[in-house]
Amino acid sequence: MTSDPGNQPAGPEQAPIDTDLHSATATSGPPVRDRFRDTGSAVLNAVVQGSPAVVTILAIFSALVVGALVIAFSDSTVLHAWNSFFAAPGRALSATWNSIAAAYSALFEGAIFNPHTISAAFHGGSVGAIFYPLSQSAAQATPLILTGLAVALAFRAGLFNIGAASQWIGGAIVVTYLGFAVSLPLVIHAIVCLIGGFAGGAVIGWLVGALKARTGAHEVIVTIMLNYIMYQVLNLVLGTPTALQLPGQANLTSPNIAPNAQLPHVGGPPPQVGVGFLVAIAAAAATWWLLERSTVGFEFRTVGANPSAARTAGMSVPRTWVLAMLLAGGLAGLSGAVAIQGTFYSLNFQSYGNYGFAGITVALLGRARPLGVVLAAVLFGALQAGGTVMQAVTSVPVDITFVLEGLIVLFVAAPPLIRAVFRLRRTERAGFGGAAKGWNG
Amino acid sequence: MTTLATEIRAPAATNRRMLAAGTFIAFGLVDILLFGLFSHPGDAAFALSLSGASVTVPTIRIAGWVPYIFGALSILIGIARATVITSPGLRRLAIAVVLFFFVISLLIWSDTGSWTHGIPVNVVTLLQATLAGSIPLILGALAGCMGERAGVINIAIEGQLLLGAFMAAILASTVGLWVGLIGGSLAGGLVGLVLAAFAIRFFVDQIILGVVLNLLISGITGFLYDRLMVTNAQTYNSGNTFSAVKIPGLGDIPIIGPIFFDSTIILYIAYAAIIVVQIGLFSTRWGLRVRAVGEHPTAADTVGINVLAIRYRNLVLGGLLAGIGGTYFTIGSVGPFGKDISSGLGYIALAAMIFGRWTPLGATAAALLFGFTTALGNFLGTITVPISPALLAMAPYAATIIAVAGLVGRVRAPAADGRPYVRA
Amino acid sequence: MELELRGITKRFGSLVANDHIDLRVAPGEIRGLLGENGAGKTTLMNVLYGLAQPDEGEILIDGRPVTIHSPKDAISNGIGMVHQHFMLVPVFTVAENVALGVEPTRTLSIPGLPGAPGLPTDLLDRGQARRRVRELSERYGLQVSPDAMVEDLPVGVQQRVEIIKALLRDASVLILDEPTAVLTPGETEDLFRVMRELRAGGRSIVFISHKLKEMQAIADDVTVIRRGRVVGQRPPTTSDSELAALMVGRAVELRVSKEPAQPGGVILSVRDLTVSGEVVPSVDGDEGRNAVDGVSLDVRAGEILGIAGVQGNGQTELCEAIMGLRPASGAVRLDDKDISRDTPRDRLRAGIAYIPEDRQADGIVADFSVSDNLVLDTYDRPPIASGIAMNLQATRDNARKLVAEFDVRTSSIDTPVGTLSGGNQQKVILAREVGRQVRLLLASQPTRGLDVGSIEFVHRRIVEERDQGTAVVIVSSELDEIYALADRIAVMYEGKITGFRSPDVPVTELGLLMAGARVSDSDGSDGSDSVDSDGPPSDGASGGGPSGGGPSADGAQEQG
């Protein structure tokens, strides 16, 4: 009754026919591994058996390969070269290689560093320019860290929060309003706005948790629907002059927030780090502490891993759901806050962007761990920063980064696939097998 | 888990009657206090035929005070709902009548007075737009039914629509319209196959999988759009469309003809799909087996039914339908592909399926309702009525939340929905 | 049709579920298969039905060996099975369920060609499906309406639907796996009537049960299996005591050295505890029975109350109700304080240690480390936590201490508990629960599936707890365990306590109580109302002694 098949897809070799007998066999687990094995063979073992980190790296590699093929074979030069493949096979291959190399090196230069800036620095150029790509990547990563945390935190409590986009809007609306309609001193204004953003997102998240706890409404459906409702709310408030619309404008955009509410950049341009990035890192650290070191997080993780055992141990499962969604919503709201306060200064559909949905991929790639989320967000932020440069330099559209993100996560989600492709030994169940269940709970 | 879920489910049934009654009365009050009190002098005109139609139907004029009557009737229905109405059929009828009164009152209010300058509300155009706009919703929801009735959650409807739209556009430009239609369909089927393989073979969580596939397809189509279509619009995105085919005889019937029988081939495919899937699921051997697999796969297995084969097959077949639904966005209506042209309608299709309780007919009705709110919103947008179209656009989503929260009757998914099957 | 199983052996890992089992079923025979839970009955029948493949042995039909790889093969060989958990789709009608897999379809006659063969379609012929059900229902007096929705039917009727399913597939041999486990006595009588009619029609039936009186009432011949082996074949006229002894085995192999109990004051007091079962609406006004039905019991400090009974008679629900995990009516008092309205957390705090029956599902979080599992219900209290901050060092200290004290064999305290053996997992739970100050230890099936070493350890710790003055309740379907541990025995049957006994009660008498027989003990008190609250139970409540099997059994037959 308490173990549903969706939760634990057992291999056919287990054959739990007679339940009584099965419990007898299942309890004799695998032998405990010898932990005093030498390091070299441990690394080899991790690679051959496909530990999560190895699978992630192979997934990224696979995605880059597929992405390269997509880039090359949507290039008209390459296609033309292949049309005359039998006449000049070398030309087809070199055209393919050139296309891929140009795109990926531009991507790298935009995301991490551009060798030209170093030689330029020797010839009187700015030293800071060397770090410009990295600061761009960090800026792109900032909102992603927070929406990624919003999805990851809920994940750890067993909830699939697809609604970071709606919670982002909830936060952003509050932030924008507080930002231009209220006048407060420096620092305080920015802090009030951050808190407001957290609260705005938390309200939307709370609604999801409360509906699930009280009525059993599946959080996935509710969050999907709230995404669109909040999108229309954004439409509404940005189109209403008495709400957020910039007066005297037909465009759907808000006024700029007051300078006091804006988050400054530290380090001085161009190698600069937005305070928003620091806020996001702090939020990741706080989330880590909450999840790994606090009683609240212990409850989240227990409910997420085994709600039945959590209940037996005296925890309140519905209360945990509500609190987890509230905090998750708050983090997504905070993402709205740092995006508005640190980057865009006004709310419109451009600043709304894609952070909520990208947060899902970030959380999945980061395996719902705060540190993993930060790394995944930085990776995706770098892809996006690099993608923008790549588009400018090679006219390969920046959308390839979404393809790469999707592919990476798809491969990470199916370790058996990666293991099969790379002929790794162990086969085990999927990476995200136990997180969410069917509509019926 | 089952015990946990049932224990937490609140006793919503006890309040449902009062909630429904209260909602009806609220609608009635809006009819009276908003559309009645703020009405303008004069009549509202409703045109029932298109300009230039061979047989014209006279325009209907309704006085501005009619919303008062509708409002009063809605309140009476609300009171009756709280007291005497018990049968499920009457309950549904009551919802339909109250909604109908509300919409007509809204239209009367918007057409009297200065906004439309005496131009009548063209009911035929409005309903034509409703039907056309519902095509992707209907086909997407049918795809959802096919998958979920067999026990696999399909959130990738959005991706199936989008990829279908893209393939249709590119193939229609490079090869031909019909190839575009078939290619769009196959694209949807391909997404279904990928979904099936990852969900059934690799046990990847189906909800996560659907979301990731949607993001991936959004990325791929967006990339190829920028890469190929923007620079080479003439070659890859010429914008060919099917033209409307009027069905001889039926198409000439006043009112009904132009709405139902004068459209592109895709609408007719949708008609056929509704009938085939409805009859298929509920009246054939295939459907019985599919539903058994979705409800109790072990029971199906013990009578010799191949559970996994049925799941694979249904996801691919559903994908083919959703792919056709996607072709509507390009070769069925505007022509050229645009980034994220499906604009989240796949998720509304999912909502329509849930709203329609996992039945093809119910999903179709819900899709039409959602399509109508969109058409109405567009229409009100054109006559600059002071109602934000955003409010109307929210309605389907809000309704779905209310539905899954159990406030309007219990919604029950197939019992094994979302659970991978492993033979004991 | 004659069915024969020869030398069937089925292993799960190191465990031999079926050990060279031979079974012959003659045409028109009701073959009883008697054995305890876990004796290997269901495994044997799953082998026969193609749900499991035997490691050795063969299946013969009318003397010819057949291979059965799937239920499909079994069906085509004329074997039908009514599973313990019904294989019915709840939201389908009876006719649909019966038709599934062998659906009648319509052929469209071509208009204008009256003589021509029709066009086969995939359309269901519901009329024929209904007719088939109605025919079979009438022929065997099953009284099943083809249009009823299965989920609306009482379990007894659902079972008849399963029988119709098998009959429609022309099963010559029908396997009924614990068919009476879910039935009320009236429904059981109906089932027996149906079985006799099927036998009269020439079909054979394999009737699986652990209830003696049912074997005697319906079987033509009884095969008894224990621990995967056939241990005897007896006619149904065999006495209860002989069958019970065969089924359970005489030897009580596990002995725990323990001093006589020295009971103190009452710690746990349960009065009229009732848990409603899965309520099934019924046509004949037969309410679904309560899972726990008016149970009253007292447990004193320093004594072990063993609750014996066949699984599924309300023991699980009783434990969960005492823990507050399941809504219940009646009173639960701990140390004379009413805790009936307390949350599970409050009850744990009040001093109950709880070892749940389903270790994997309710007892541990498999992905968590040993140390985290050891604080699963103390994580938010000092010394583990101060405020909302958890003290990692305290958690680790706690884990080190308990791992050493309870001899948990793990490579480290950070190892995920799911990778430990069952015995070590259970030690983790035990350590967590009794590692803190407790007044009552409530342990459900505490040694299920454990190796002998772990069983001994768990038993020893439980006795130690008792000796420290904790009140202990042990629920077990293993009689060996009950005998080894209990200072007083209560037997549960169908949600009621059918009797309290002292641990020197003969095994046959317990067997009878477990099968629902009312055996009056020498006190004259009877059944669920007897609360042995006055005085220690060592007063020899059941005076019959080891030789008392005979008269008690006679008493049971009078009542049955």
Side-chain angles (χ1 to χ4, degrees), chain B residues 124-212:
Chain B
V124 174
T125 318
L126 191 62
L127 293 182
Q128 255 185 345
T130 298
L131 226 64
S134 304
I135 291 174
L137 296 180
I138 292 171
L139 288 169
L142 289 179
C145 285
M146 299 271 286
E148 304 215 358
R149 279 288 176 180
V152 183
I153 292 177
N154 183 0
I155 295 215
I157 300 170
E158 171 74 7
Q160 293 175 324
L161 293 179
L162 189 56
L163 199 60
F166 176 82
M167 286 305 283
I170 204 163
L171 288 174
S173 306
T174 51
V175 190
L177 271 176
W178 286 94
V179 178
L181 182 68
I182 294 166
S185 176
L186 289 176
L190 177 71
V191 179
L193 185 65
V194 172
L195 182 73
F198 276 80
I200 296 168
R201 223 193 117 154
F202 298 127
F203 304 119
V204 179
D205 182 285
Q206 294 164 11
I207 293 173
I208 293 177
L209 185 57
V211 172
V212 171

Side-chain angles (χ1 to χ4, degrees), chain A residues 166-212:
Chain A
S166 60
Q167 296 143 17
W168 190 99
I169 295 173
I173 287 175
V174 175
V175 167
T176 310
Y177 183 78
L178 290 176
F180 75 80
V182 179
S183 189
L184 287 169
L186 200 70
V187 182
I188 294 177
H189 199 168
I191 292 174
V192 165
C193 282
L194 286 173
I195 294 171
F198 187 91
V203 168
I204 311 292
W206 168 83
L207 184 64
V208 177
L211 277 171
K212 183 178 178 75

Side-chain angles (χ1 to χ4, degrees), chain C residues 4 110 201 291 397 489 497 533 556:
Chain C
E4 193 177 350
I110 300 154
D397 290 345
I489 300 172
I497 290 187
S533 55

